């Protein structure tokens, strides 16, 4: 199993499509539905044996949650904040503009 290249709280962008987001969860390998996987055209379908990332994502028009393979992500070095409305539920913004996961209490 491959070690994840990106980490929770890191801002990334898609290699092909015009969207970016902050990572809030990582699957060590594909863990979504077969329907989701099969809906991707075979010519661009990513390998299953790599990390997949859950993003609080945004494009020019909207915000949403995305599930993206590692091979399709690049680090976003723009320094622009992510405008997704759920960012504050998952992260605190640090003084240097990065996203730190909020401490979670457990019972």
């Amino acid at each position: 199993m491959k070690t994840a290249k990106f980490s929770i709280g890191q801002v990334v962008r898609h290699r092909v499509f015009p969207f970016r987001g902050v990572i809030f969860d990582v699957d060590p390998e594909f863990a979504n539905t077969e329907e989701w996987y099969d809906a991707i055209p075979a010519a661009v379908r990513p390998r299953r044996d790599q990390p997949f990332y859950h993003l609080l994502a945004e494009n020019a028009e909207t915000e949403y949650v995305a599930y993206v393979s590692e091979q399709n992500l690049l680090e976003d070095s723009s320094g622009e904040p992510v405008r997704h409305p759920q960012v504050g539920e998952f992260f605190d913004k640090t003084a240097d503009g990065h996203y730190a996961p909020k401490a979670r209490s457990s019972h």
Side-chain angles (χ1 to χ4, degrees), residues 37-46:
Y37 191 78
D38 291 342
I40 300 169
V44 295
R45 193 174 295 150

Side-chain angles (χ1 to χ4, degrees), residues 14 19-20 22 24-25 32 36 53-58 64-68 84:
H14 197 278
F19 71 87
R20 62 192 288 271
V22 59
F24 71 91
D25 195 16
N32 206 335
W36 182 92
Y53 299 84
H54 300 261
L55 308 179
L56 297 175
E58 64 187 28
Y64 53 97
V65 172
Y67 190 65
V68 186
H84 194 287

Side-chain angles (χ1 to χ4, degrees), residues 27-99:
D27 293 335
E29 58 185 35
F30 179 77
N32 206 335
T33 65
E34 289 306 309
E35 292 81 14
W36 182 92
Y37 191 78
D38 291 342
I40 300 169
V44 295
R45 193 174 295 150
R47 297 180 332 275
R48 294 172 181 262
D49 64 341
Q50 64 180 311
F52 276 72
Y53 299 84
H54 300 261
L55 308 179
L56 297 175
E58 64 187 28
N59 61 27
E61 293 84 37
T62 191
E63 300 82 31
Y64 53 97
V65 172
Y67 190 65
V68 186
S69 65
E70 186 169 273
Q71 75 188 59
N72 284 320
L73 290 177
L74 299 169
E75 183 176 359
D76 181 291
S77 57
S78 71
E80 294 293 318
V82 175
R83 70 175 188 273
H84 194 287
Q86 289 181 285
V87 166
E89 294 176 33
F90 290 86
F91 301 101
D92 289 319
K93 190 95 177 213
T94 62
D96 61 1
H98 292 96
Y99 294 96

